[in-house]
Amino acid sequence: MDNRIVNDGKSIAIISYFWWIGLIIAFIMNNSKRNAFASFHIRQMIGLLLLNVAASILYNYVGSTVGMIIGLGTFVLWLIGLIGAFQGIEKSVPLVGDLFQDWFKGI
């Protein structure tokens, strides 16, 4: 990817990883520019946020151990995505990142 595109979208990509508030702010900021790098990381974070919601539901209704394992896994994936945004690379999070890119390709 072109360095100019990465540099233009890097701050938006980083903002998207800060909880759902940062995701909404990044989505609004990217709406007018439509930076490909920022969109990539926004899609990753939408998927991670939904995975975290699923972990919370599992924690409350299925069992604390299952929810905690998925929640911890989601945290590790979030950390990998955030590091990728800081480094300026488009690397999908392991296991589910490519699915997130496919599911949310309209964003």
Side-chain angles (χ1 to χ4, degrees), residues 20-86:
W20 59 270
I21 295 171
L23 182 62
I24 292 171
I25 292 169
F27 185 79
I28 291 169
M29 289 174 67
N30 194 46
N31 236 2
S32 61
K33 293 180 184 179
R34 296 302 249 174
N35 183 284
F37 181 74
S39 295
F40 174 85
H41 284 284
I42 288 171
R43 287 189 295 269
Q44 293 289 298
M45 188 53 195
I46 289 172
L48 289 173
L49 190 61
L50 292 174
L51 191 59
N52 196 33
V53 168
S56 297
I57 291 169
L58 288 172
Y59 183 86
N60 289 327
Y61 296 108
V62 174
S64 60
T65 305
V66 174
M68 192 177 299
I69 291 170
I70 294 174
L72 182 62
T74 303
F75 175 73
V76 170
L77 295 177
W78 171 84
L79 199 56
I80 291 169
L82 180 63
I83 291 170
F86 270 113

